[in-house]
Amino acid sequence: MTDRLYSKGRVLGYERAKRTQNPNVSLLKLEGVQTTEDARFYLGKRVAYVYYANKEKNGSKLRVIWGRIARTHGTSGVVKARFRKNLPPKSFGASVRVMLYPSNI
């Protein structure tokens, strides 16, 4: 039994075409999600990219960029997410927390 109230995911990169990329939309691979039907459960859920900065703010070096899952991408369980501030490129390959709210069940 786990004590965490979130699901894990990984940042794959920005939404992109052959020559251009769109930093407003990030692609996420969610843990345990293999199909589009599974990914639909996560639509509208909040996503947190948690990282540590060098400078302390409000007594903590911990920072968070919040986002929301917008839609599915492809057939293998990848989703598109929009964040309040675009994710930095150093976040590619990093893990994100997918909160299980707002709930629609």
XYZ file of all heavy atoms in Angstrom:
846
model
N 0.842 -1.192 0.000
C 0.000 0.000 0.000
C 0.883 1.251 0.000
O 1.866 1.335 0.718
C -0.881 0.006 1.249
C -1.888 1.117 1.269
S -3.009 0.878 2.648
C -3.146 2.533 3.187
N 0.528 2.213 -0.841
C 1.321 3.429 -0.925
C 0.647 4.552 -0.150
O -0.567 4.557 0.046
C 1.501 3.874 -2.387
O 0.233 4.257 -2.900
C 2.069 2.766 -3.238
N 1.456 5.519 0.265
C 0.930 6.645 1.018
C 0.726 7.876 0.149
O 0.254 8.892 0.620
C 1.879 6.996 2.160
C 1.891 5.918 3.220
O 0.889 5.204 3.332
O 2.909 5.805 3.931
N 1.119 7.806 -1.135
C 0.996 9.003 -1.969
C -0.383 9.111 -2.594
O -1.008 8.104 -2.915
C 2.097 9.037 -3.021
C 2.157 7.862 -3.943
C 3.374 7.986 -4.852
N 3.661 6.743 -5.519
C 3.138 6.378 -6.675
N 2.299 7.164 -7.299
N 3.454 5.227 -7.214
N -0.826 10.350 -2.759
C -2.162 10.607 -3.293
C -2.088 11.094 -4.735
O -2.947 11.827 -5.189
C -2.864 11.659 -2.433
C -3.084 11.244 -0.981
C -3.649 12.392 -0.178
C -4.012 10.046 -0.909
N -1.038 10.688 -5.432
C -0.888 11.098 -6.818
C -0.320 9.936 -7.621
O 0.214 8.978 -7.076
C 0.034 12.315 -6.937
C 1.414 12.123 -6.384
C 2.437 11.579 -7.156
C 1.714 12.468 -5.064
C 3.704 11.388 -6.641
C 2.981 12.289 -4.550
C 3.972 11.747 -5.347
O 5.223 11.563 -4.831
N -0.474 10.036 -8.925
C 0.086 9.067 -9.845
C 1.335 9.682 -10.475
O 1.446 10.905 -10.568
C -0.961 8.736 -10.902
O -0.470 7.821 -11.819
N 2.261 8.865 -10.913
C 3.495 9.387 -11.486
C 3.405 9.457 -13.001
O 2.682 8.695 -13.638
C 4.677 8.505 -11.103
C 5.081 8.607 -9.660
C 6.317 7.775 -9.416
C 6.776 7.887 -7.977
N 7.963 7.061 -7.726
N 4.164 10.389 -13.561
C 4.269 10.514 -15.005
C 5.650 11.016 -15.360
O 6.437 11.383 -14.486
N 5.960 11.032 -16.652
C 7.266 11.485 -17.110
C 7.089 12.460 -18.266
O 6.242 12.260 -19.126
C 8.099 10.287 -17.547
C 9.553 10.603 -17.658
C 10.446 9.390 -17.484
N 10.378 8.737 -16.177
C 11.045 9.145 -15.094
N 11.771 10.224 -15.129
N 10.973 8.465 -13.974
N 7.891 13.529 -18.259
C 7.834 14.539 -19.320
C 8.609 14.012 -20.521
O 9.793 13.690 -20.406
C 8.430 15.884 -18.850
C 8.359 16.905 -19.974
C 7.716 16.387 -17.618
N 7.935 13.926 -21.680
C 8.594 13.453 -22.893
C 9.196 14.601 -23.697
O 10.195 14.425 -24.383
C 7.599 12.689 -23.770
C 6.956 11.454 -23.148
C 5.998 10.815 -24.127
C 8.009 10.467 -22.707
N 8.561 15.759 -23.647
C 9.034 16.900 -24.419
C 7.862 17.784 -24.777
O 6.759 17.635 -24.249
N 8.101 18.709 -25.710
C 7.044 19.592 -26.174
C 6.275 18.926 -27.320
O 6.803 18.041 -27.997
C 7.624 20.909 -26.698
C 8.353 21.738 -25.670
C 9.565 22.337 -25.976
C 7.830 21.930 -24.401
C 10.246 23.117 -25.055
C 8.501 22.704 -23.465
C 9.704 23.290 -23.799
O 10.362 24.048 -22.878
N 5.048 19.395 -27.535
C 4.310 19.023 -28.733
C 5.105 19.565 -29.921
O 5.583 20.699 -29.886
C 2.917 19.650 -28.691
C 2.107 19.446 -29.942
C 0.830 20.267 -29.912
O 0.911 21.491 -29.777
O -0.233 19.669 -30.044
N 5.259 18.755 -30.971
C 6.089 19.218 -32.069
C 5.632 18.658 -33.411
O 4.901 17.679 -33.467
C 7.553 18.875 -31.836
C 7.840 17.415 -31.620
C 9.325 17.155 -31.576
N 9.903 17.465 -32.869
C 11.054 18.111 -33.018
N 11.722 18.517 -31.968
N 11.520 18.349 -34.228
N 6.078 19.329 -34.455
C 5.903 18.852 -35.814
C 7.286 18.456 -36.320
O 8.215 18.289 -35.534
C 5.285 19.949 -36.678
N 7.438 18.357 -37.603
C 8.732 17.936 -38.132
C 9.821 18.966 -37.835
O 10.932 18.620 -37.447
C 8.625 17.718 -39.634
C 9.847 17.078 -40.241
C 9.632 16.751 -41.697
C 10.848 16.054 -42.282
N 10.653 15.764 -43.708
N 9.507 20.244 -38.014
C 10.522 21.281 -37.850
C 10.237 22.275 -36.736
O 11.117 23.041 -36.376
C 10.685 22.048 -39.163
C 11.301 21.225 -40.250
C 11.444 21.978 -41.536
N 11.953 21.093 -42.586
C 11.186 20.326 -43.321
N 9.876 20.316 -43.159
N 11.720 19.543 -44.233
N 9.021 22.333 -36.241
C 8.685 23.310 -35.205
C 8.226 22.600 -33.953
O 7.714 21.485 -34.008
C 7.563 24.248 -35.677
O 6.396 23.466 -35.947
C 7.969 25.016 -36.905
N 8.397 23.259 -32.821
C 7.872 22.710 -31.575
C 7.071 23.779 -30.859
O 7.342 24.963 -30.993
C 8.980 22.156 -30.688
C 10.027 23.135 -30.262
C 11.125 22.444 -29.480
O 11.157 21.231 -29.382
N 12.023 23.224 -28.922
N 6.074 23.320 -30.109
C 5.165 24.220 -29.416
C 5.400 24.093 -27.912
O 4.936 23.139 -27.294
C 3.717 23.858 -29.778
C 2.714 24.721 -29.067
O 3.067 25.743 -28.485
N 1.454 24.323 -29.092
N 6.123 25.029 -27.296
C 6.437 24.910 -25.866
C 5.237 25.131 -24.943
O 5.347 24.905 -23.746
C 7.507 25.967 -25.639
C 7.343 26.925 -26.751
C 6.771 26.174 -27.916
N 4.093 25.564 -25.504
C 2.898 25.741 -24.672
C 2.286 24.413 -24.251
O 1.534 24.361 -23.291
C 1.824 26.535 -25.426
C 2.303 27.898 -25.843
O 3.163 28.472 -25.189
N 1.784 28.401 -26.939
N 2.577 23.347 -24.977
C 1.977 22.038 -24.714
C 3.089 21.017 -24.497
O 3.998 20.892 -25.322
C 1.074 21.599 -25.883
C 0.437 20.248 -25.600
C 0.005 22.642 -26.158
N 3.027 20.292 -23.379
C 4.015 19.266 -23.070
C 3.388 17.891 -23.188
O 2.209 17.706 -22.873
C 4.552 19.456 -21.652
O 5.187 20.703 -21.536
N 4.170 16.911 -23.623
C 3.712 15.529 -23.716
C 4.161 14.776 -22.472
O 5.326 14.868 -22.065
C 4.287 14.859 -24.967
C 3.898 15.485 -26.303
C 4.613 14.773 -27.439
C 2.411 15.448 -26.504
N 3.220 14.044 -21.868
C 3.506 13.286 -20.648
C 3.158 11.823 -20.861
O 2.120 11.504 -21.440
C 2.677 13.816 -19.474
C 2.708 15.306 -19.181
C 1.763 15.615 -18.035
C 4.110 15.764 -18.856
N 4.006 10.932 -20.367
C 3.717 9.506 -20.350
C 3.356 9.144 -18.916
O 4.158 9.356 -17.999
C 4.937 8.710 -20.818
C 4.758 7.214 -20.762
C 3.705 6.745 -21.736
C 3.579 5.226 -21.686
N 2.240 4.775 -21.997
N 2.151 8.633 -18.701
C 1.670 8.331 -17.356
C 1.965 6.884 -16.992
O 1.863 5.982 -17.829
C 0.170 8.615 -17.266
C -0.248 10.021 -17.677
C -1.747 10.179 -17.558
C 0.465 11.060 -16.848
N 2.302 6.675 -15.735
C 2.653 5.344 -15.242
C 1.416 4.450 -15.227
O 0.374 4.821 -14.692
C 3.206 5.487 -13.821
C 3.860 4.256 -13.278
C 4.424 4.500 -11.894
O 3.639 4.584 -10.928
O 5.651 4.638 -11.773
N 1.522 3.275 -15.828
C 0.429 2.309 -15.814
C -0.667 2.586 -16.820
O -1.713 1.940 -16.783
N -0.462 3.537 -17.721
C -1.468 3.874 -18.739
C -0.943 3.395 -20.085
O 0.109 3.847 -20.541
C -1.737 5.397 -18.768
C -2.729 5.750 -19.845
C -2.243 5.857 -17.410
N -1.677 2.480 -20.728
C -1.211 1.883 -21.975
C -2.085 2.214 -23.176
O -1.648 2.076 -24.312
C -1.148 0.350 -21.833
C -0.282 -0.121 -20.689
C 1.169 0.307 -20.812
O 1.695 0.437 -21.903
N 1.816 0.558 -19.674
N -3.342 2.629 -22.944
C -4.273 2.856 -24.053
C -4.914 4.227 -23.942
O -4.859 4.883 -22.895
C -5.387 1.795 -24.070
O -6.168 1.934 -22.887
C -4.819 0.388 -24.143
N -5.542 4.644 -25.035
C -6.253 5.918 -25.048
C -7.409 5.899 -24.051
O -7.686 6.906 -23.393
C -6.801 6.200 -26.465
O -5.724 6.072 -27.392
C -7.381 7.579 -26.571
N -8.080 4.768 -23.928
C -9.212 4.664 -22.993
C -8.745 4.867 -21.557
O -9.424 5.526 -20.760
C -9.910 3.302 -23.135
C -10.684 3.125 -24.424
C -9.800 2.930 -25.648
O -8.723 2.301 -25.516
O -10.161 3.443 -26.724
N -7.590 4.301 -21.214
C -7.039 4.507 -19.871
C -6.684 5.974 -19.657
O -6.882 6.533 -18.577
C -5.779 3.662 -19.663
C -6.067 2.170 -19.700
O -7.244 1.793 -19.571
O -5.112 1.389 -19.860
N -6.144 6.609 -20.682
C -5.695 8.000 -20.564
C -6.869 8.957 -20.396
O -6.717 10.024 -19.793
C -4.870 8.390 -21.788
N -8.040 8.601 -20.903
C -9.200 9.489 -20.803
C -9.600 9.751 -19.355
O -10.164 10.792 -19.047
C -10.384 8.901 -21.574
C -10.250 9.087 -23.054
C -11.583 8.938 -23.788
N -11.331 8.960 -25.211
C -11.436 7.892 -26.000
N -11.821 6.731 -25.510
N -11.159 7.984 -27.281
N -9.310 8.815 -18.454
C -9.623 9.012 -17.034
C -8.896 10.231 -16.477
O -9.404 10.926 -15.601
C -9.225 7.763 -16.233
C -9.213 7.980 -14.744
C -10.398 7.969 -14.026
C -8.027 8.218 -14.065
C -10.400 8.181 -12.651
C -8.027 8.431 -12.693
C -9.209 8.403 -11.991
N -7.709 10.528 -16.999
C -6.869 11.594 -16.452
C -7.158 12.970 -17.040
O -6.552 13.948 -16.611
C -5.395 11.245 -16.667
C -4.935 10.084 -15.816
C -4.941 8.793 -16.309
C -4.533 10.277 -14.507
C -4.529 7.718 -15.533
C -4.119 9.220 -13.724
C -4.124 7.945 -14.238
O -3.726 6.890 -13.458
N -8.057 13.075 -18.003
C -8.343 14.367 -18.616
C -8.886 15.331 -17.577
O -9.787 15.002 -16.804
C -9.340 14.216 -19.769
C -8.872 13.346 -20.933
C -9.899 13.374 -22.053
C -7.515 13.777 -21.439
N -8.329 16.535 -17.528
C -8.745 17.550 -16.560
C -8.036 17.478 -15.224
O -8.191 18.378 -14.395
N -7.228 16.428 -15.004
C -6.528 16.294 -13.719
C -5.365 17.289 -13.646
O -4.782 17.681 -14.642
C -5.991 14.875 -13.554
C -7.060 13.790 -13.577
C -7.826 13.733 -12.306
C -8.749 12.542 -12.225
N -10.021 12.714 -12.874
N -5.026 17.695 -12.420
C -3.939 18.654 -12.200
C -2.597 17.915 -12.211
O -2.498 16.783 -11.738
C -4.112 19.348 -10.849
C -5.447 20.018 -10.630
C -5.539 21.438 -11.137
N -4.434 22.286 -10.788
C -4.369 23.042 -9.699
N -5.360 23.036 -8.827
N -3.333 23.821 -9.477
N -1.588 18.598 -12.734
C -0.243 18.035 -12.824
C 0.728 18.994 -12.144
O 0.622 20.209 -12.308
C 0.174 17.852 -14.304
C 1.515 17.171 -14.389
C -0.857 17.072 -15.064
N 1.669 18.449 -11.382
C 2.671 19.280 -10.695
C 4.066 18.823 -11.103
O 4.411 17.651 -10.948
C 2.503 19.163 -9.189
N 4.856 19.765 -11.624
C 6.275 19.520 -11.882
C 7.029 20.126 -10.707
O 7.055 21.339 -10.524
C 6.716 20.150 -13.207
C 8.207 20.174 -13.390
C 8.943 18.990 -13.434
C 8.896 21.371 -13.514
C 10.316 19.013 -13.583
C 10.268 21.399 -13.667
C 10.967 20.216 -13.699
O 12.335 20.240 -13.840
N 7.608 19.278 -9.877
C 8.284 19.703 -8.650
C 9.792 19.664 -8.887
O 10.321 18.676 -9.393
C 7.907 18.775 -7.468
C 8.589 19.216 -6.200
C 6.397 18.743 -7.289
N 10.475 20.760 -8.533
C 11.916 20.823 -8.722
C 12.535 21.675 -7.623
O 11.832 22.350 -6.873
C 12.259 21.396 -10.103
C 11.837 22.827 -10.317
C 12.758 23.870 -10.221
C 10.518 23.158 -10.600
C 12.381 25.181 -10.411
C 10.124 24.465 -10.795
C 11.052 25.467 -10.702
O 10.670 26.770 -10.875
N 13.848 21.609 -7.528
C 14.583 22.378 -6.539
C 15.379 23.472 -7.236
O 16.043 23.229 -8.238
C 15.529 21.476 -5.741
C 14.803 20.572 -4.784
C 14.398 19.303 -5.169
C 14.507 21.001 -3.501
C 13.715 18.477 -4.292
C 13.827 20.188 -2.616
C 13.437 18.932 -3.028
O 12.758 18.130 -2.160
N 15.327 24.682 -6.667
C 16.085 25.814 -7.191
C 17.268 26.086 -6.267
O 17.345 25.573 -5.150
C 15.186 27.037 -7.293
N 18.202 26.900 -6.728
C 19.368 27.231 -5.908
C 19.039 28.273 -4.847
O 19.540 28.231 -3.733
C 20.502 27.755 -6.791
C 21.093 26.654 -7.640
O 21.128 25.510 -7.219
N 21.525 26.996 -8.849
N 18.188 29.224 -5.193
C 17.882 30.329 -4.290
C 16.661 29.995 -3.434
O 15.671 29.467 -3.931
C 17.614 31.588 -5.123
C 17.607 32.859 -4.326
C 17.543 34.050 -5.265
C 17.612 35.343 -4.484
N 17.550 36.504 -5.364
N 16.745 30.338 -2.161
C 15.654 30.068 -1.240
C 14.586 31.153 -1.336
O 14.896 32.337 -1.368
C 16.205 30.010 0.182
C 15.561 28.942 1.024
C 16.234 28.800 2.374
O 15.896 29.565 3.283
O 17.111 27.923 2.494
N 13.318 30.742 -1.406
C 12.192 31.677 -1.391
C 11.207 31.191 -0.341
O 10.828 30.022 -0.355
C 11.479 31.707 -2.750
C 12.082 32.651 -3.749
C 11.150 32.792 -4.936
C 11.699 33.781 -5.938
N 10.820 33.913 -7.105
N 10.804 32.068 0.549
C 9.880 31.721 1.633
C 10.396 30.539 2.449
O 9.633 29.670 2.856
C 8.483 31.425 1.091
C 7.877 32.604 0.386
O 8.144 33.752 0.733
N 7.070 32.347 -0.633
N 11.703 30.476 2.645
C 12.286 29.437 3.483
C 12.396 28.071 2.834
O 12.627 27.083 3.520
N 12.209 27.982 1.511
C 12.270 26.689 0.845
C 12.886 26.827 -0.536
O 12.675 27.820 -1.225
C 10.864 26.103 0.727
O 10.892 24.919 -0.035
N 13.634 25.806 -0.932
C 14.189 25.774 -2.286
C 13.286 24.991 -3.236
O 13.576 24.874 -4.416
C 15.578 25.138 -2.259
C 16.611 25.995 -1.557
C 17.986 25.396 -1.668
C 19.017 26.315 -1.040
N 20.373 25.786 -1.186
N 12.213 24.446 -2.714
C 11.275 23.651 -3.497
C 10.375 24.560 -4.324
O 9.845 25.547 -3.804
C 10.430 22.797 -2.549
C 9.604 21.696 -3.158
C 10.512 20.557 -3.573
C 8.606 21.189 -2.140
N 10.213 24.245 -5.614
C 9.332 25.023 -6.491
C 8.403 24.070 -7.224
O 8.735 22.902 -7.440
C 10.128 25.818 -7.533
C 11.248 26.659 -6.988
C 10.779 28.022 -6.533
N 11.826 28.713 -5.795
C 12.805 29.416 -6.331
N 12.893 29.536 -7.640
N 13.696 30.009 -5.574
N 7.252 24.603 -7.645
C 6.268 23.789 -8.360
C 5.713 24.584 -9.530
O 5.416 25.770 -9.391
C 5.100 23.368 -7.433
C 4.100 22.512 -8.192
C 5.599 22.635 -6.219
N 5.586 23.941 -10.680
C 4.855 24.508 -11.812
C 3.616 23.649 -12.003
O 3.713 22.438 -12.207
C 5.700 24.523 -13.098
C 6.968 25.338 -12.898
C 4.891 25.089 -14.269
C 7.906 25.335 -14.089
N 2.434 24.277 -11.902
C 1.167 23.556 -11.995
C 0.646 23.563 -13.422
O 0.838 24.525 -14.164
C 0.126 24.181 -11.074
C 0.348 23.864 -9.641
C 0.977 24.639 -8.720
C -0.033 22.668 -8.953
N 1.013 23.998 -7.505
C 0.393 22.798 -7.613
C -0.686 21.504 -9.347
C 0.183 21.799 -6.679
C -0.907 20.514 -8.401
C -0.468 20.659 -7.084
N -0.046 22.489 -13.779
C -0.638 22.381 -15.104
C -1.881 21.517 -15.057
O -2.325 21.098 -13.985
N -2.433 21.251 -16.243
C -3.657 20.472 -16.350
C -3.575 19.598 -17.601
O -3.078 20.043 -18.635
C -4.847 21.422 -16.448
C -6.184 20.775 -16.211
C -7.285 21.828 -16.187
N -7.173 22.723 -15.039
C -7.744 22.512 -13.868
N -8.454 21.427 -13.682
N -7.605 23.382 -12.893
N -4.063 18.373 -17.508
C -4.059 17.474 -18.660
C -5.200 17.875 -19.588
O -6.355 17.980 -19.160
C -4.176 16.010 -18.210
C -2.914 15.628 -17.431
C -4.374 15.097 -19.409
C -2.898 14.238 -16.900
N -4.864 18.114 -20.862
C -5.823 18.674 -21.806
C -6.481 17.608 -22.686
O -7.699 17.638 -22.894
C -5.135 19.708 -22.690
N -5.685 16.689 -23.226
C -6.230 15.695 -24.152
C -5.240 14.558 -24.310
O -4.109 14.635 -23.842
C -6.542 16.334 -25.503
C -5.352 17.002 -26.160
C -5.685 17.530 -27.530
N -5.973 16.423 -28.422
C -6.271 16.577 -29.708
N -6.330 17.782 -30.238
N -6.505 15.532 -30.472
N -5.693 13.500 -24.978
C -4.813 12.364 -25.228
C -3.955 12.648 -26.453
O -4.229 13.556 -27.233
C -5.626 11.074 -25.446
O -6.474 11.254 -26.574
C -6.457 10.740 -24.227
N -2.913 11.810 -26.630
C -2.000 11.972 -27.761
C -1.618 10.580 -28.231
O -0.903 9.862 -27.539
C -0.765 12.766 -27.327
C 0.281 12.895 -28.389
N 0.178 13.787 -29.411
C 1.449 12.227 -28.576
C 1.246 13.680 -30.196
N 2.026 12.736 -29.706
N -2.116 10.188 -29.375
C -1.792 8.869 -29.899
C -2.587 7.769 -29.237
O -3.589 8.020 -28.558
N -2.121 6.539 -29.391
C -2.872 5.384 -28.908
C -2.172 4.634 -27.786
O -2.649 3.593 -27.364
C -3.115 4.395 -30.067
O -1.854 4.010 -30.601
C -3.982 5.026 -31.140
N -1.038 5.141 -27.299
C -0.283 4.386 -26.290
C -0.322 5.024 -24.910
O 0.564 4.791 -24.095
C 1.166 4.212 -26.745
O 1.761 5.477 -26.894
N -1.307 5.874 -24.647
C -1.471 6.410 -23.304
C -0.706 7.679 -23.017
O -0.589 8.072 -21.860
N -0.181 8.351 -24.027
C 0.488 9.643 -23.826
C -0.578 10.733 -23.812
O -1.586 10.635 -24.505
C 1.530 9.893 -24.946
C 2.167 11.254 -24.810
C 2.588 8.809 -24.917
N -0.369 11.767 -22.982
C -1.333 12.869 -22.889
C -0.628 14.199 -23.125
O 0.590 14.311 -22.964
C -2.056 12.895 -21.527
C -2.922 11.669 -21.344
C -1.077 13.050 -20.385
N -1.415 15.213 -23.518
C -0.914 16.576 -23.668
C -1.334 17.367 -22.444
O -2.465 17.238 -21.974
C -1.498 17.233 -24.916
C -1.067 16.601 -26.203
C -1.671 17.332 -27.386
C -1.270 16.673 -28.686
N -1.774 17.409 -29.860
N -0.435 18.185 -21.935
C -0.731 18.996 -20.755
C -0.281 20.425 -20.995
O 0.712 20.662 -21.690
C -0.035 18.431 -19.525
N -1.027 21.368 -20.419
C -0.655 22.784 -20.481
C -0.325 23.242 -19.063
O -1.100 23.016 -18.138
C -1.809 23.615 -21.041
C -2.019 23.405 -22.501
C -2.960 24.439 -23.086
N -3.073 24.256 -24.520
C -3.924 23.422 -25.095
N -4.749 22.719 -24.377
N -3.950 23.310 -26.405
N 0.799 23.912 -18.923
C 1.244 24.396 -17.622
C 1.107 25.906 -17.550
O 1.090 26.586 -18.576
C 2.703 23.978 -17.375
C 2.856 22.497 -17.115
C 2.901 21.594 -18.161
C 2.936 22.019 -15.820
C 3.030 20.233 -17.919
C 3.067 20.672 -15.566
C 3.106 19.775 -16.625
N 1.006 26.447 -16.325
C 0.858 27.896 -16.151
C 2.038 28.639 -16.745
O 1.877 29.658 -17.404
C 0.715 28.238 -14.668
C -0.626 27.813 -14.119
C -0.777 28.232 -12.672
N -2.033 27.712 -12.137
C -2.300 27.629 -10.851
N -1.415 28.036 -9.953
N -3.456 27.155 -10.439
N 3.232 28.147 -16.480
C 4.436 28.620 -17.166
C 4.953 27.427 -17.954
O 4.905 26.300 -17.469
C 5.494 29.077 -16.163
C 5.170 30.363 -15.468
C 6.333 30.801 -14.612
C 6.075 32.164 -14.006
N 7.170 32.567 -13.115
N 5.453 27.670 -19.152
C 5.970 26.563 -19.960
C 7.078 25.835 -19.207
O 7.891 26.460 -18.530
C 6.508 27.083 -21.289
C 5.434 27.717 -22.138
O 4.249 27.545 -21.881
N 5.839 28.456 -23.142
N 7.086 24.518 -19.334
C 8.125 23.738 -18.672
C 9.484 24.037 -19.307
O 9.583 24.180 -20.527
C 7.830 22.242 -18.794
C 6.660 21.707 -17.992
C 6.562 20.200 -18.166
C 6.788 22.049 -16.528
N 10.538 24.131 -18.498
C 11.871 24.349 -19.062
C 12.384 23.063 -19.723
O 11.984 21.958 -19.334
C 12.709 24.708 -17.833
C 12.003 24.058 -16.704
C 10.542 24.086 -17.038
N 13.267 23.176 -20.698
C 13.794 21.974 -21.362
C 14.529 21.023 -20.418
O 14.623 19.835 -20.694
C 14.743 22.538 -22.415
C 14.220 23.899 -22.696
C 13.670 24.399 -21.388
N 15.033 21.524 -19.282
C 15.714 20.620 -18.347
C 14.728 19.637 -17.697
O 15.152 18.670 -17.081
C 16.451 21.407 -17.259
C 15.548 22.036 -16.215
C 16.356 22.591 -15.058
C 15.432 23.050 -13.947
N 16.147 23.521 -12.781
N 13.426 19.872 -17.868
C 12.431 18.972 -17.292
C 12.189 17.738 -18.155
O 11.522 16.809 -17.717
C 11.113 19.709 -17.081
O 10.504 19.984 -18.338
N 12.717 17.704 -19.386
C 12.501 16.550 -20.261
C 13.109 15.303 -19.622
O 14.280 15.276 -19.255
C 13.118 16.775 -21.637
C 12.486 17.901 -22.416
C 13.060 18.338 -23.588
C 11.322 18.522 -21.983
C 12.495 19.373 -24.312
C 10.756 19.554 -22.700
C 11.339 19.979 -23.864
N 12.289 14.282 -19.456
C 12.735 13.062 -18.802
C 12.501 13.061 -17.311
O 12.643 12.032 -16.664
N 12.133 14.215 -16.747
C 11.888 14.294 -15.302
C 10.487 13.776 -14.980
O 9.628 13.664 -15.853
C 12.039 15.733 -14.825
N 10.250 13.475 -13.719
C 8.945 12.961 -13.332
C 8.030 14.101 -12.897
O 8.486 15.151 -12.444
C 9.081 11.941 -12.208
O 9.609 12.543 -11.062
N 6.732 13.870 -13.082
C 5.704 14.811 -12.643
C 4.711 14.056 -11.776
O 4.632 12.833 -11.826
C 4.970 15.471 -13.833
C 5.878 16.390 -14.615
C 4.353 14.427 -14.742
N 3.981 14.817 -10.981
C 2.940 14.220 -10.139
C 1.578 14.536 -10.757
O 1.272 15.696 -10.994
C 2.992 14.824 -8.734
C 4.296 14.578 -8.025
C 4.306 15.250 -6.678
N 5.591 15.049 -6.009
C 5.853 15.478 -4.778
N 4.947 16.135 -4.096
N 7.025 15.234 -4.246
N 0.791 13.502 -10.996
C -0.553 13.675 -11.541
C -1.534 13.497 -10.388
O -1.725 12.391 -9.884
C -0.836 12.667 -12.672
C -2.226 12.879 -13.236
C 0.206 12.768 -13.755
N -2.121 14.610 -9.956
C -3.052 14.558 -8.842
C -4.376 13.927 -9.302
O -4.786 14.123 -10.435
C -3.319 15.975 -8.309
C -2.064 16.717 -7.929
S -1.155 15.853 -6.651
C 0.354 16.765 -6.613
N -5.015 13.210 -8.407
C -6.249 12.516 -8.781
C -7.482 13.374 -8.519
O -8.542 12.879 -8.168
C -6.330 11.190 -8.052
C -5.167 10.249 -8.395
C -5.262 8.965 -7.608
C -5.124 9.959 -9.880
N -7.336 14.684 -8.666
C -8.454 15.601 -8.585
C -8.307 16.623 -9.679
O -7.188 16.833 -10.162
C -8.505 16.287 -7.200
C -7.270 17.041 -6.805
C -7.025 18.337 -7.249
C -6.307 16.451 -5.989
C -5.880 19.029 -6.900
C -5.163 17.132 -5.629
C -4.964 18.421 -6.090
O -3.827 19.104 -5.743
N -9.334 17.284 -10.157
C -10.738 17.088 -9.790
C -11.259 15.736 -10.283
O -10.908 15.316 -11.380
C -11.453 18.241 -10.488
C -10.568 18.619 -11.610
C -9.167 18.326 -11.169
N -12.066 15.088 -9.470
C -12.570 13.765 -9.805
C -13.915 13.875 -10.515
O -14.741 14.702 -10.181
C -12.730 12.938 -8.533
O -13.252 11.687 -8.843
N -14.102 13.011 -11.512
C -15.382 12.991 -12.216
C -16.083 11.637 -12.075
O -16.924 11.280 -12.876
C -15.196 13.342 -13.705
C -14.141 12.478 -14.353
O -13.695 11.490 -13.782
N -13.733 12.856 -15.550
N -15.725 10.885 -11.012
C -16.407 9.615 -10.761
C -17.086 9.653 -9.402
O -16.714 10.424 -8.527
C -15.453 8.402 -10.809
C -14.283 8.576 -9.839
C -14.949 8.186 -12.228
C -13.467 7.339 -9.647
